[in-house]
Amino acid sequence: GAKPRPGKKKSMVKSGAKPRPLAAITAFAAFIVVVYAVFMISLFTSLPPLHTSKTPDKFAKFAVARALFEAEEEKKKSSFPVSINDDTFEEINHPAAALKGESLTMSVPKFWDPPEYQNVGGVRNFLGEHGDRLMTKSEALSIGSTVKLDDDTELETIFVAISSYRDDECPNTVQSIFSRAKYPQRIRVAVVDQVDEGDVECSKPRVPCEEDPTHALCLYPDQIDFFVMDATLAVGPVFARHIGHRMYRGEYYAMQCDAHVLFINNWDEDIIGQWHDAKNEMAVLTVYLSDVKFYDEETGESLTESRPIMCESDYESKGNYRHLRHGQQPEGTPVVKEPVLEPYWAAGFSFNRGHFVVNVPYDQYLPMIFQGEEINMGLRGFTYGYDYYASAYSVCFHIYAIGENAKRRNKVPKFWEHTNLYDDVEEKAFLRLNGIIDMNPNEDPNLWDHTDEKKYGIGKVRTTQKFFDTFGIHTKTQTVEGHLCRFVGRPMQNKFIPALRTNGMGIDYDKIDYKF
């Protein structure tokens, strides 16, 4: 019944009770220590076995687990933003020169591969051994930095990759990303800016910082990286976005968009919330964005409740150039406001966990490809275990060359203006593009380039044939079943969501026997 002394915790010994002997207390403490030690050892030695020549023993597994733990603790203190300016660059051969058997050296950022993963062959090997198996939930959760606000609120970070080709709208896109975000402190933007002499560079606001210091380029210079390259070296969006993926530095989420996109208010909180609504660590929210006519630029609000969905695709072109191309996608007002499964991935907008960029980086060796990049990336992601969703509603809008924007946008140059510099590479690139994803079974595999196929190839979590069978694609005849959009949406959602793994690590397609 005695009152505790100031600055002391109240005694837990009840009035009249005898204090426990010192030996008993010591034994109990020792018991707790042993239980904790057994738990930590079982945790650190439960990493899935690696089946490569770099297979670590239990001590190496423990070391990497400990290193990841320590790195996580250090990361919480401060590790955002991490700029490519502080990183090591490496020299690569320009992809067009590589396919022609020539040499044109470029200096580019190295892929993100932190030291703590080196004992297990690098981060790609740690995350499922380059797609040989589905990564575990704990492995997936090891990816992703956070940032603390002044009030100690901890936020998951967002990496935004933008590839721009001589586009004067790029500075406005960067401004929209930061100014419309609820928490701009969590965002890091990486721009691959392909420019010619006299162009408006993305790093330059239209009004100088001295006159308008409120522009994002002036407010957040440490959170924006630019890789500037001469437009004559540009060989299409695939290579530009490949460099963009090289600029990723461990952020929790990764997003990709075009250089002419405007965002709604609080878009960062909205899209993260939608991603969580999918209850799927392997979810990728991706669509062809709606036109900016559905966006109020003054208020930053959306003017529509409809959303696009990715379901329309067919073969186009002939011979070695023939490929699966996604066409105009339907839009509609969703019955239920939640992300909905879809079969295809879109390059114009993609939002996912950071490990998607690590596991499925853009192929370095596909110069002069424009159409075809999406089925290549999407199918590779599918074989690694990723699932694609149409977002519940739009958080950003695309400035298409239509309507009142047609005249202005049609003046923006295209990378094809330098086609004469890179003749004879597009056909070779298409052979590789289709060959890697098993979409040219009638071609001799010796005809296409297999360089770094493990790095830029397909995984083994799911087969490409499972994708073809499920969604009605016939690679031998190069035809598709029509009207897939009748199935994508609520019917697909009802049939496939029950196969979502209980730990949220993607749809288990072994439990799906549906064929469209």
Side-chain angles (χ1 to χ4, degrees), residues 10-241:
K10 186 175 180 180
S11 173
M12 296 302 294
V13 180
K14 294 181 180 179
S15 177
K18 295 182 179 180
R20 296 178 180 178
L22 180 62
I25 295 174
T26 303
F28 180 75
F31 172 75
I32 293 299
V33 170
V34 170
V35 170
Y36 179 77
V38 170
F39 169 75
M40 293 304 291
I41 291 173
S42 65
L43 173 65
F44 290 151
T45 57
S46 63
L47 296 172
L50 301 178
H51 306 293
T52 67
S53 59
K54 296 183 179 180
T55 300
D57 56 20
K58 289 184 178 180
F59 292 102
K61 289 179 182 178
F62 180 88
V64 74
R66 177 63 180 269
L68 288 172
F69 172 78
E70 292 175 347
E72 182 67 23
E73 292 302 301
E74 185 65 26
K75 182 173 61 180
K76 289 178 180 177
K77 297 175 185 177
S78 178
S79 64
F80 179 85
V82 179
S83 173
I84 61 168
N85 297 324
D86 301 325
D87 205 358
T88 304
F89 278 59
E90 65 179 351
E91 291 188 345
I92 65 169
N93 197 13
H94 188 276
L99 286 188
K100 296 173 71 173
E102 301 173 356
S103 179
L104 179 59
T105 302
M106 293 181 62
S107 182
V108 298
K110 284 185 176 181
F111 280 112
W112 179 73
D113 198 1
E116 57 264 28
Y117 293 96
Q118 298 313 305
N119 284 344
V120 286
V123 65
R124 286 287 301 276
N125 206 48
F126 180 75
L127 296 179
E129 302 164 65
H130 288 77
D132 282 354
R133 59 172 174 82
L134 179 67
M135 60 184 171
T136 67
K137 186 68 171 285
S138 62
E139 289 168 352
L141 292 178
S142 76
I143 304 298
S145 62
T146 58
V147 63
K148 278 190 176 182
L149 302 183
D150 293 338
D151 62 359
D152 282 343
T153 300
E154 195 165 348
L155 299 175
E156 298 157 340
T157 57
I158 303 174
F159 170 76
V160 183
I162 300 173
S163 64
S164 175
Y165 186 84
R166 307 188 63 188
D167 195 339
D168 61 359
E169 196 65 44
C170 186
N172 289 342
T173 296
V174 174
Q175 167 70 359
S176 184
I177 288 171
F178 282 98
S179 65
R180 296 299 185 185
K182 184 174 183 178
Y183 298 109
Q185 305 95 319
R186 77 194 319 165
I187 298 166
R188 175 172 164 263
V189 173
V191 180
V192 179
D193 201 13
Q194 302 155 106
V195 293
D196 208 344
E197 187 175 353
D199 287 343
V200 175
E201 294 187 17
C202 193
S203 58
K204 304 291 195 317
R206 291 180 177 177
V207 179
C209 292
E210 293 78 12
E211 300 177 25
D212 180 15
T214 63
H215 195 284
L217 292 167
C218 311
L219 287 175
Y220 308 102
D222 294 337
Q223 292 168 235
I224 310 172
D225 278 327
F226 295 93
F227 182 90
V228 180
M229 59 185 287
D230 194 290
T232 57
L233 294 174
V235 284
V238 175
F239 182 53
R241 287 167 175 156

Side-chain angles (χ1 to χ4, degrees), residues 344-390:
Y344 300 125
W345 180 84
F349 178 81
S350 178
F351 182 89
N352 36 256
R353 287 280 275 113
H355 49 67
F356 179 83
V357 172
V358 178
N359 281 325
V360 194
Y362 263 92
D363 193 338
Q364 181 178 322
Y365 305 98
L366 296 179
M368 304 309 290
I369 293 293
F370 183 68
Q371 305 295 353
E373 69 166 301
E374 292 171 320
I375 189 61
N376 180 273
M377 284 290 293
L379 198 42
R380 286 172 56 209
F382 174 86
T383 63
Y384 268 75
Y386 290 97
D387 301 307
Y388 307 119
Y389 291 77

Side-chain angles (χ1 to χ4, degrees), residues 249-423:
R249 287 297 174 266
E251 290 80 9
Y252 198 89
Y253 298 104
M255 186 175 81
Q256 174 176 306
C257 70
D258 288 334
H260 33 275
V261 173
L262 298 177
F263 288 76
I264 67 170
N265 296 324
N266 302 326
W267 67 267
D268 53 327
E269 283 288 273
D270 283 352
I271 197 65
I272 289 174
Q274 291 188 58
W275 182 87
H276 279 290
D277 286 344
K279 299 178 177 60
N280 185 349
E281 176 72 18
M282 307 299 284
V284 179
L285 305 182
T286 181
V287 293
Y288 282 171
L289 296 176
S290 300
D291 185 68
V292 73
K293 69 181 180 181
F294 297 112
Y295 172 77
D296 188 329
E297 193 167 352
E298 292 294 324
T299 65
E301 298 294 339
S302 170
L303 302 176
T304 181
E305 293 185 356
S306 68
R307 63 158 174 216
I309 194 165
M310 300 293 295
C311 58
E312 186 67 41
S313 193
D314 204 350
Y315 279 89
E316 72 170 15
S317 298
K318 297 179 180 180
N320 291 333
Y321 295 90
R322 192 162 176 78
H323 62 278
L324 199 66
R325 177 193 176 185
H326 308 329
Q328 181 66 37
Q329 304 301 317
E331 288 194 35
T333 302
V335 177
V336 180
K337 289 283 187 177
E338 66 180 6
V340 172
L341 285 166
E342 58 188 1
Y344 300 125
W345 180 84
F349 178 81
S350 178
F351 182 89
N352 36 256
R353 287 280 275 113
H355 49 67
F356 179 83
V357 172
V358 178
N359 281 325
V360 194
Y362 263 92
D363 193 338
Q364 181 178 322
Y365 305 98
L366 296 179
M368 304 309 290
I369 293 293
F370 183 68
Q371 305 295 353
E373 69 166 301
E374 292 171 320
I375 189 61
N376 180 273
M377 284 290 293
L379 198 42
R380 286 172 56 209
F382 174 86
T383 63
Y384 268 75
Y386 290 97
D387 301 307
Y388 307 119
Y389 291 77
S391 52
Y393 51 90
S394 300
V395 299
C396 54
F397 295 84
H398 191 279
I399 305 176
Y400 290 102
I402 59 176
E404 63 182 22
N405 292 312
K407 185 176 181 180
R408 179 171 63 90
R409 292 302 303 168
N410 280 323
K411 291 181 180 179
V412 178
K414 308 294 188 296
F415 78 92
W416 292 294
E417 64 182 334
H418 298 301
T419 299
N420 62 307
L421 299 177
Y422 306 106
D423 54 347

